[in-house]
Amino acid sequence: MRYVSTRGESPSAAFAEVLLRGLAPDGGLYAPERWPRLSPAASATPYASRLQETLDAFAGPLASGVAQQAVAGFRHPDIAPLKRLSADLYLLELFHGPTLAFKDLAMQAMAPLLERALVARGETLLLLTATSGDTGAAAVHAFAGSSRIRLCVLHPAGRVSPVQRRQMTTCTADNVLNLAIQGDFDDCQRLVKALLRGRSGRSSVNSINWGRLAGQIPYYFDRSAQVAGGPSRCVIPTGNFGDAFSGWAARACGAPVGSILAAVNRNDTLALALREGVLLRQPAQATPSVSMDVSLPSNLERLVFEAADRQPEAVRNVFAMLDAEGRVTLPPALLSRLRQEVTAVSCDDEAMAAAMRRARAEYGEIVCPHTAVGLAAHWAAPHAGPSIVLATAHPAKFPEAVSSALGEAPAMPDPLRALFDLPERCETLPPEEREVEAALLRRFG
Ligand SMILES: *Cc1c(COP(=O)(O)O)cnc(C)c1O
């Protein structure tokens, strides 16, 4: 499989290059040159087999045998179990990995893929990652101690939950550098893009990296086949539009995904763009669903590319204008195609808390604030037929948000409790490229 840039001004690349670069040299995102057809969804397909098939299709021989390694650290035999709440409502539990959020599903596969690509080339790599909390924790877990990879994680200071922060900052491995950036997630993401652009030997494990999205396709496949009543609507708590685009991609590969509903919090750029046809750069707002506090969803560029029938000029027009003006009006034909592909519902903090209480009262479920945004969107947008709401993190990662909505803290699993006894290691910096470069130099030389 070869990969092309959504902006059309970089040569096509092999999977290993895509993984090692993150962003294409022209500033675009890599997309597979065509969507492979995977084997039909079947309720009995083991998760690891689907993961292996998916990785084989996207990564080729580099992926051989990776799936077993990738699922080894999960605490549930089904890896991503589907839980039936009612006749037409299901939760897809994606939080049984080592750091208790869905980011583990892809990161556990990316780590061995990256190691192999680096060994084959005799190279080392600096990974830069912006995080709203969960990606950083998953990356620290997956890459700590690697001899070929140095990892720098940028999180917005004071805007991740204490559990999320400690999952990152209590790591003692010398190849991991944690930076708390005095800004929001979008500042972190902008810094990562600036630090990557035009530099070799650097990549990112954010969802701008296709490797991440490929690893999120498998859970959309066979779980849908476990639901009676036809293709399900997938309701996806959304920040950077990575998980939601993986759902779109899964459907392009043959998964029985019905419609896609992106659930967003008050950071509603996506919902606004689909409703009013205007894509805006606006400041991120802090909400209890911190991992979705993203103002500009990077992976929307991938959907624009597909909705524009893969014409890179159309993508460049939208995103160059957005860069220059901070806002862009989407051409009507493009907008109507985007609306056919996904819908979006935004909900405020109170609707999130109300959904958390309703899940507790009606189904005895304590859900994390992100999952609660998904449930709120599900209830706000009635649908005939089954819906699968993605449960993207374990509630114990967000005890403050859960207690404030329910008046009751979620049970804290032992590995999380232990984090509170460990020292933290982290530097706080202003959101400036040269400050981050200097910190990288101090730590890694
Ligand atoms: C990252 C994250 C999301 C949002 O996923 P995107 O791929 O950025 O849209 C939702 N919920 C949780 C718990 C997350 O960690």
Side-chain angles (χ1 to χ4, degrees):
M1 178 75 75
R2 304 283 301 173
Y3 291 83
V4 297
S5 165
T6 51
R7 306 226 177 156
E9 291 176 328
S10 300
S12 77
F15 182 81
E17 294 167 272
V18 167
L19 203 58
L20 294 173
R21 281 194 194 131
L23 209 57
D26 60 6
L29 302 178
Y30 281 114
E33 64 182 356
R34 62 185 170 77
W35 294 104
R37 200 80 195 159
L38 300 183
S39 62
S43 58
T45 307
Y47 189 86
S49 321
R50 178 62 70 186
L51 175 59
Q52 191 60 53
E53 184 195 10
T54 308
L55 296 177
D56 288 342
F58 285 106
L62 189 68
S64 132
V66 159
Q68 281 306 335
Q69 205 175 334
V71 301
F74 281 72
R75 289 164 292 104
H76 195 289
D78 294 340
I79 313 303
L82 188 70
K83 186 180 232 173
R84 182 175 184 272
L85 297 189
S86 72
D88 58 6
L89 177 57
Y90 295 76
L91 283 183
L92 178 54
E93 293 185 351
L94 301 174
F95 51 72
H96 296 284
T99 68
L100 288 80
F102 85 89
K103 305 297 199 293
D104 287 323
L105 286 144
M107 209 68 82
Q108 292 290 315
M110 257 188 105
L113 288 171
L114 269 170
E115 289 280 347
R116 289 173 182 202
L118 291 169
V119 169
R121 295 170 172 230
E123 291 174 8
T124 60
L125 184 69
L126 173 62
L127 277 182
L128 291 151
T129 292
T131 185
S132 48
D134 292 325
T135 301
V140 166
H141 186 279
F143 296 107
S146 161
S147 59
R148 296 202 171 256
I149 292 169
R150 286 160 301 171
L151 172 68
C152 172
V153 178
L154 292 79
H155 73 262
R159 294 203 188 195
V160 299
S161 86
V163 171
Q164 288 179 312
R165 190 187 71 239
R166 284 168 183 274
Q167 283 183 316
M168 302 186 274
T169 59
T170 56
C171 174
T172 53
D174 278 329
N175 71 322
V176 172
L177 172 63
N178 276 294
L179 299 177
I181 300 295
Q182 293 162 320
D184 59 26
F185 172 76
D186 293 78
D187 290 318
C188 298
Q189 182 152 269
R190 187 175 44 72
L191 282 168
V192 165
K193 283 194 173 185
L195 293 156
L196 282 181
R197 198 161 184 166
R199 304 283 301 256
S200 61
R202 293 184 175 188
S203 186
S204 166
V205 285
N206 281 117
S207 54
I208 55 175
N209 194 316
W210 171 253
R212 273 278 306 283
L213 300 200
Q216 293 169 181
I217 289 175
Y219 51 75
Y220 285 99
F221 256 85
D222 308 295
R223 299 299 170 261
S224 314
Q226 295 172 1
V227 171
S232 308
R233 167 169 81 168
C234 286
V235 185
I236 308 166
T238 296
N240 231 344
F241 201 69
D243 204 5
F245 189 77
S246 292
W248 187 95
R251 184 166 65 192
C253 297
V257 170
S259 54
I260 292 175
L261 173 59
V264 296
N265 61 24
R266 275 188 290 125
N267 295 286
D268 65 348
T269 304
L270 178 67
L272 194 75
L274 291 173
R275 190 172 69 235
E276 300 187 1
V278 179
L279 188 55
L280 282 183
R281 187 178 285 286
Q282 40 187 4
Q285 303 189 51
T287 78
S289 45
V290 287
S291 301
M292 293 158 56
D293 290 348
V294 180
S295 95
L296 195 65
S298 326
N299 288 295
L300 185 57
E301 177 160 342
R302 300 184 192 275
L303 192 70
V304 167
F305 180 61
E306 301 293 344
D309 294 322
R310 300 194 146 213
Q311 291 168 42
E313 318 78 79
V315 178
R316 289 200 301 269
N317 288 344
V318 170
F319 291 95
M321 175 74 94
L322 183 66
D323 278 345
E325 309 283 331
R327 65 183 286 145
V328 57
T329 301
L330 299 168
L334 177 63
L335 178 60
S336 77
R337 284 290 303 277
L338 288 169
R339 285 174 174 157
Q340 287 163 24
E341 303 300 332
V342 288
T343 52
V345 167
S346 122
C347 74
D348 61 18
D349 299 356
E350 188 37 50
M352 181 286 292
M356 214 187 268
R357 287 191 289 270
R358 183 167 168 187
R360 179 90 180 98
E362 289 185 21
Y363 307 111
E365 282 291 319
I366 296 185
V367 298
C368 88
H370 313 81
T371 308
V373 169
L375 284 168
H378 167 74
W379 283 316
H383 172 68
S387 292
I388 298 177
V389 176
L390 274 60
T392 49
H394 192 290
K397 291 192 89 168
F398 309 94
E400 300 79 10
V402 173
S403 302
S404 100
L406 298 183
E408 167 193 9
M412 181 79 69
D414 288 338
L416 294 190
R417 204 191 315 268
L419 293 173
F420 286 84
D421 298 327
L422 300 172
E424 295 187 70
R425 192 177 177 194
C426 181
E427 280 182 56
T428 303
L429 294 179
E432 276 159 39
E433 196 180 333
R434 64 182 145 70
E435 297 273 356
V436 178
E437 287 286 10
L440 288 168
L441 199 63
R442 282 197 298 278
R443 169 63 73 86
F444 299 131

